[in-house]
Amino acid sequence: MEFGIIIIFLICIIVILRILFGSSKKQIEEIAKNETLDELAEKYPSNVEMCKEYLKMLHNETVIVEEDKNATNSLYIAISNKIMIADVRGSFTRIQTIAHECLHSIQNRKILIFNFIYSNIYILYFIIISILKLFNILPYEMMFLAILIMGGFIYYFVRSYLENDAMIKARFLAKEYMEDKKIFSQEEINKIVHHFDKLNDIGIRCVNYTLLLNIVIEILIFCVICMIR
């Protein structure tokens, strides 16, 4: 009965999160799709070169930069101090996307390493307790559930801090970069930055929604397992 009530509560949370923060992928794609701005952005250097120029602006040129044309998302890997750039050449959004990953590289290294290690431990913990409960060899279910919830909140706060910080600052770094390069007129820069603002408004909500939703779903899955076992 306890887990039944918790499950209903978690479903209500999912619905509320969707209403308050949920944004469709289609909305983001519509804003990011602009042929005029895409053509303008082609005047800028290659992804790798742009990334290195950003890192120079940030006085952090020790980062390894690689491009993965098969990847769909760019990524900064704290452990190896490496930026993996996805194939984002054909979009104006790459100017801000690359800035975002470069900003991750100058964030507090202790927090970045903690996030990397803790994220893996948290996922592993969820998998282990779920498997143990499936085989009905997990005592004190409520205690493990409480740890999962607490662990989820820690994961969310650390990850959301890192992502929100990079997303907010990327807009300003991208604008400064464009003004320094003097490839665009100020009017063109303002137009691109305006689209960045629209993207970030939805993107920040979407990232936070996704992080919270994943945590709630993991808790929900564990509760369902506990109820049926």
Side-chain angles (χ1 to χ4, degrees):
M1 186 63 183
E2 288 179 345
F3 285 106
I5 295 171
I6 295 172
I7 289 169
I8 293 171
F9 178 69
L10 290 171
I11 292 172
C12 290
I13 289 177
I14 291 173
V15 173
I16 292 170
L17 287 175
R18 177 63 186 174
I19 294 171
L20 293 178
F21 302 107
S23 299
S24 68
K25 188 178 178 182
K26 188 177 179 181
Q27 284 179 288
I28 297 174
E29 288 175 348
E30 285 175 356
I31 298 172
K33 189 176 181 180
N34 189 305
E35 290 183 6
T36 303
L37 297 182
D38 289 345
E39 287 178 9
L40 286 173
E42 284 299 308
K43 298 177 183 178
Y44 278 88
S46 67
N47 296 331
V48 172
E49 188 179 344
M50 185 188 294
C51 187
K52 289 179 179 179
E53 289 176 345
Y54 272 127
L55 292 169
K56 188 174 182 179
M57 289 173 64
L58 296 169
H59 308 291
N60 188 30
E61 298 178 71
T62 59
V63 181
I64 301 167
V65 181
E66 294 181 7
E67 188 171 22
D68 184 357
K69 295 189 180 296
N70 296 317
T72 55
N73 295 309
S74 297
L75 177 69
Y76 171 67
I77 307 167
I79 294 293
S80 57
N81 194 29
K82 178 191 294 184
I83 293 176
M84 297 295 295
I85 306 174
D87 186 13
V88 290
R89 177 76 197 183
S91 175
F92 76 94
T93 59
R94 74 189 181 101
I95 301 172
Q96 182 178 241
T97 300
I98 295 173
H100 175 104
E101 298 308 326
C102 290
L103 283 163
H104 274 312
S105 74
I106 63 166
Q107 288 176 323
N108 188 299
R109 187 156 181 79
K110 290 180 181 179
I111 298 177
L112 289 168
I113 297 297
F114 173 81
N115 175 67
F116 178 82
I117 296 172
Y118 183 82
S119 297
N120 286 287
I121 291 174
Y122 172 71
I123 294 169
L124 186 62
Y125 173 78
F126 164 69
I127 293 171
I128 289 172
I129 62 173
S130 297
I131 292 173
L132 288 175
K133 186 55 192 173
L134 277 172
F135 286 97
N136 212 21
I137 52 176
L138 184 75
Y140 312 115
E141 299 148 335
M142 294 304 292
M143 180 188 76
F144 285 100
L145 173 61
I147 294 172
L148 182 65
I149 294 172
M150 187 182 302
F153 278 113
I154 293 172
Y155 168 78
Y156 169 75
F157 285 124
V158 174
R159 183 70 183 276
S160 65
Y161 162 72
L162 293 171
E163 291 300 329
N164 291 340
D165 178 67
M167 283 189 287
I168 291 168
K169 290 178 180 177
R171 179 256 196 207
F172 298 97
L173 180 61
K175 184 181 180 183
E176 182 184 347
Y177 175 77
M178 288 188 288
E179 289 173 341
D180 286 347
K181 295 294 285 185
K182 294 182 170 57
I183 294 175
F184 294 161
S185 67
Q186 191 60 48
E187 184 181 348
E188 289 170 331
I189 291 172
N190 291 339
K191 188 175 181 180
I192 288 181
V193 170
H194 175 66
H195 276 73
F196 286 163
D197 289 337
K198 287 164 58 174
L199 275 172
N200 292 342
D201 179 57
I202 297 175
I204 290 173
R205 284 188 286 119
C206 189
V207 167
N208 284 276
Y209 165 71
T210 303
L211 288 174
L212 279 171
L213 182 64
N214 289 341
I215 292 166
V216 174
I217 288 175
E218 287 169 353
I219 296 169
L220 180 62
I221 290 171
F222 180 69
C223 288
V224 170
I225 293 171
C226 288
M227 190 172 71
I228 63 177
R229 296 300 295 174

